[in-house]
Amino acid sequence: MTAPVDVAAGNAAPRTAVLATVVLIAALLLGAGLVLVLGDFYGEETALAILVGVLAVAPVIVRVCQGKFDPFEPITIVSAVYLLYFSLAPLFRISSTDFSWLGRDWRPLYVRGLTAVSAPILLTWVGYSLPLGGRIGQRLSRPMIMTEVGNRTLRRFGWALTASAVLGLAAWSAISGTRVTRFLLPGLLAGSTQGEGGGPDIQYLFMTMEWFVPAFMLLCTAGAFKRTVVRMAYWVMVLILYLSIAFRYRLIVFVIAGVMIYYLRRDKRPNMLLVIPVGAATFVALGWVSMVRGYFNSYGRQGSLTFSWATLLKSALADTRIFETFTAVLTAVPDFFGHVGMLPFYYLFLIPIPRFLWHAKPEPSWIRMVGPAIGTPEAFVAGAAFPSFGEYYMALGWTGVVAGMLLFGILLRVLWEWYRTDRFDPARQAIFAICYVWTLQVIIRGYLAQIVMEFCFFVLPAIVAMVIARRSERRHQVRQWRAS
């Protein structure tokens, strides 16, 4: 069990603030001592990685010292992502001298890369601290008391969204020639075979599986599950589906957002003494999912479920290699490849057009520049990704990074203030929980077209449900006023 935290009281005592300050000072002293011990042995890289980590967690430390820390404030998860991907992961590789990846030695790029990632981190906090985001968030939608009329609308929308997701996957399965058993864990049904797939023209049918996330969150916040067994059956069904296709970010959003809903509905917060070990366990579990992805995707015919701590840790940290890919892009653009300009933003308007209607539809060629930027044979087939600010840099250089990360920080503040204006609104709780966790994907996947498409499947349905429910509530209030 986790102890609730009194949100109204500020979530932190002065003693906690003092303890956090002592821990930060101890960490700085430890880092300084480590640099002195290492000397010329990666001393500069180590110092920079520590400084990036301090910059990443600085807003959280400030909140703790102010007595206003809230684990559900967006800066918490953003700080955690920045710390893991751009400080702890490089420190791990520095300490283990693991600089080789995709046939290239990355050590010469670490100083420049660690210096460069400090800019988007700092710009995020600058954008978040600007009053503009708070003002927009407070004015987006006025608070409204949601009665049974509005909640009933949300429940109906949630069940309709669930049915639509099932039908969408069934249609994708039929068109692509893929058996429904593709969405069951390997070994549940022996002798199953997988079809060849139907190509990119039906990817939107496949993406309907993401509708389970907003559907489940809306059903939970609107009180649709009167019995725990029904809620758990729904949860397990979706969990099996997402495990079967082995897409980690869907698992992250679904599981963590579901846990958040539990606390948001009660206006409580989890005990932070348990959040860190639970987060570490989740990190390990996701590494295992990544490690056995081939096994799941091949119906158990390839790979295995063999457990190895060394392999698991390497798999869990594989995603943090976006630091290296960013350094590669930073080095290659514009010296070897020119900036792509507004193409990533123009492409947003091309996504909805099916390729069978436009055979000459352009490809998002800029995201395939990562392999050539790395410059090794292994990189061309690795499908390496890069962070969001890597795409902004590839598009418009440092101008794009400044504008993009300032906007990102402003939008985070908009989300937080928008939620706080009416934190008991069930639809608002569902939208906030999804967006909070999905922020991870926004940061680590530098492909704006994909992020916008995920927004349309993860978040937009919940926003539509909120608009419809509020309209139903207003009509109900008008009818009551006329009747009186």
Side-chain angles (χ1 to χ4, degrees), residues 19-334:
L19 178 61
T21 305
V22 171
V23 170
L24 176 60
I25 294 174
L28 290 173
L29 292 176
L30 178 62
L34 183 61
V35 173
L36 291 175
V37 171
L38 292 176
D40 293 332
F41 190 65
Y42 311 132
E44 189 176 6
E45 290 87 345
T46 303
L48 286 171
I50 292 172
L51 290 175
V52 169
V54 172
L55 182 60
V57 301
V60 174
I61 297 297
V62 170
R63 282 288 189 263
V64 171
C65 294
Q66 292 174 335
K68 298 179 180 179
F69 173 71
D70 189 331
F72 290 165
E73 186 174 1
I75 59 172
T76 305
I77 187 171
V78 174
S79 290
V81 173
Y82 284 159
L83 177 66
L84 173 62
Y85 280 75
F86 307 116
S87 177
L88 295 183
L91 278 172
F92 172 79
R93 295 186 182 103
I94 292 170
S95 64
S96 59
T97 63
D98 181 22
F99 294 109
S100 180
W101 181 58
L102 295 180
R104 180 171 179 174
D105 179 16
W106 296 90
R107 192 264 167 115
L109 301 181
Y110 261 51
V111 170
R112 182 179 181 184
L114 289 168
T115 304
V117 296
S118 62
I121 295 174
L122 180 61
L123 288 164
T124 302
W125 305 145
V126 171
Y128 192 86
S129 64
L130 294 176
L132 178 62
R135 293 171 183 171
I136 296 175
Q138 292 169 3
R139 298 176 182 178
L140 268 181
S141 57
R142 296 179 179 179
M144 174 181 288
I145 298 176
M146 197 65 63
T147 66
E148 176 59 22
V149 174
N151 285 325
R152 184 169 60 247
T153 302
L154 292 177
R155 291 195 294 268
R156 289 174 177 173
F157 193 95
W159 288 121
L161 202 59
T162 301
S164 299
V166 173
L167 291 175
L169 285 179
W172 178 86
S173 180
I175 295 173
S176 65
T178 303
R179 295 194 180 189
V180 178
T181 54
R182 171 67 180 83
F183 304 110
L184 299 176
L185 289 175
L188 292 183
L189 292 176
S192 301
T193 58
Q194 184 176 350
E196 296 297 327
D201 288 333
I202 58 170
Q203 62 176 325
Y204 303 115
L205 292 175
F206 183 75
M207 292 284 286
T208 57
M209 73 173 66
E210 294 179 354
W211 283 344
F212 287 115
V213 173
F216 182 76
M217 303 309 157
L218 288 170
L219 291 171
C220 286
T221 57
F225 301 114
K226 304 301 181 183
R227 300 176 61 186
T228 303
V229 65
V230 178
R231 183 176 67 252
M232 291 305 300
Y234 193 120
W235 188 84
V236 170
M237 178 199 72
V238 178
L239 193 68
I240 290 175
L241 170 67
Y242 288 169
L243 276 174
S244 298
I245 59 175
F247 276 117
R248 288 171 295 174
Y249 77 88
R250 291 187 177 106
L251 282 168
I252 294 173
V253 175
F254 180 67
V255 173
I256 299 182
V259 173
M260 284 186 63
I261 288 296
Y262 172 84
Y263 289 101
L264 293 177
R265 291 187 67 193
R266 292 159 178 79
D267 201 29
K268 302 293 183 181
R269 296 297 184 265
N271 188 332
M272 293 305 297
L273 294 177
L274 294 179
V275 168
I276 295 177
V278 169
T282 303
F283 179 71
V284 170
L286 293 173
W288 178 79
V289 171
S290 177
M291 186 174 64
V292 299
R293 178 177 296 184
Y295 181 82
F296 286 143
N297 288 338
S298 64
Y299 285 94
R301 290 183 171 84
Q302 299 176 4
S304 68
L305 299 179
T306 303
F307 185 88
S308 166
W309 280 108
T311 306
L312 187 147
L313 182 60
K314 183 177 180 180
S315 176
L317 290 173
D319 222 25
T320 62
R321 289 290 189 178
I322 60 173
F323 168 73
E324 280 83 355
T325 57
F326 174 64
T327 63
V329 170
L330 197 65
T331 304
V333 179

Side-chain angles (χ1 to χ4, degrees), residues 474-484:
R474 282 193 294 267
R475 289 176 179 175
H476 174 68
Q477 293 175 1
V478 169
R479 286 194 296 267
Q480 282 188 326
W481 177 77
R482 289 177 179 177
S484 62

Side-chain angles (χ1 to χ4, degrees), residues 4-27:
V5 177
D6 186 0
V7 178
N11 300 327
R15 186 182 303 174
T16 307
V18 174
L19 178 61
T21 305
V22 171
V23 170
L24 176 60
I25 294 174

Side-chain angles (χ1 to χ4, degrees), residues 366-378:
W366 64 93
I367 64 172
R368 297 184 176 89
M369 288 172 57
V370 180
I374 295 174
T376 61
E378 296 92 329

